Amino acid sequence: MTAQAVSLSEAAERAVVPVEPQLADDITAESLTTLLAQQDGRIAILSPEGEIFEIIAGRYSGVPNMGIFLKGHAGDMARVNRQARDPQYIENPAITMSLAIQPEVLDSIGQIKGAEGRGLLARFLYSRPESLVGYLNLTPELLSPDTAETYARKLGSLALTLAAWTETAELTLPPPRPTPSSSPTSASPNPASARTGPSHRS
């Protein structure tokens, strides 16, 4: 019994308690880097608003700070050495960003200093659906319990399947179809390409 107790005690000391999974929203670049290091290099920023772009533009620092966001798309190693904290090395960072923002926010993203030149704007996949102002259904039919359960089960299964995915894949999209109000030449002549990876990159 004594030997078994000693063995269990040693095993308990060697055990590493995993960090609680987290999602980010209103977070600085520095805090995001720390979370990435804690979360094995993967984090998701999910929000119905666009505050993260204000932070990237320099809400707290006064100057744009987008380096970790660029590396989180490309998967480039992130190294952070600062006083008062241990060095942080993230081998293959992967940042997922899914935002439901107002058109005004989308228009303001291009005003972030350096965003276009450094490639920030090109790293997102944009969707701007037709406005439903004046046509919104205020009493939509609710999802059935079966539909909600199936959605949750499939989404959970997808997340677990991708959790161990380490390869980088390339998603090729067809060119956008011109709308009636746009000229035929306004569509891109080449298929759009979005790079994606472990947790998501798009």
Side-chain angles (χ1 to χ4, degrees):
M1 285 295 292
T2 301
Q4 184 181 16
V6 171
S7 177
L8 291 174
S9 177
E10 292 176 347
E13 291 179 357
R14 292 192 301 268
V16 177
V17 178
V19 178
E20 181 181 1
Q22 293 191 45
L23 298 176
D25 185 355
D26 187 348
I27 186 171
T28 64
E30 292 76 15
S31 296
L32 181 62
T33 302
T34 298
L35 272 183
L36 271 171
Q38 295 173 349
Q39 301 287 325
D40 197 26
R42 302 176 182 182
I43 197 73
I45 298 174
L46 309 177
S47 177
E49 301 295 340
E51 286 98 340
I52 191 66
F53 291 115
E54 296 179 9
I55 295 172
I56 293 174
R59 176 201 284 177
Y60 300 118
S61 62
V63 294
N65 189 351
M66 64 187 76
I68 189 60
F69 296 93
L70 301 179
K71 292 177 180 178
H73 174 274
D76 296 332
M77 176 183 285
R79 301 188 184 110
V80 180
N81 291 280
R82 289 194 175 90
Q83 296 179 354
R85 72 171 61 178
D86 295 333
Q88 296 172 321
Y89 300 94
I90 306 170
E91 184 70 27
N92 186 26
I95 300 176
T96 294
M97 294 180 67
S98 181
L99 312 170
I101 58 179
Q102 299 297 323
E104 290 76 10
V105 176
L106 185 61
D107 294 337
S108 68
I109 296 173
Q111 305 303 316
I112 299 176
K113 184 177 180 181
E116 183 174 4
R118 297 183 63 184
L120 178 68
L121 303 182
R123 301 184 191 218
F124 290 93
L125 181 63
Y126 300 91
S127 176
R128 192 166 183 173
E130 184 179 354
S131 174
L132 294 179
V133 173
Y135 302 93
L136 188 63
N137 182 3
L138 300 180
T139 57
E141 183 179 350
L142 298 179
L143 290 177
S144 69
D146 288 343
T147 300
E149 191 277 332
T150 300
Y151 175 82
R153 175 165 43 81
K154 289 186 176 294
L155 189 62
S157 175
L158 178 63
L160 292 174
T161 300
L162 296 180
W165 181 31
T166 58
E167 297 297 324
T168 296
E170 186 167 299
L171 176 65
T172 300
L173 305 175
R177 291 179 296 180
T179 60
S181 60
S182 63
S183 64
T185 58
S186 63
S188 171
N190 299 315
S193 178
R195 189 169 179 272
T196 184
S199 70
H200 83 270
R201 294 185 204 107
S202 61

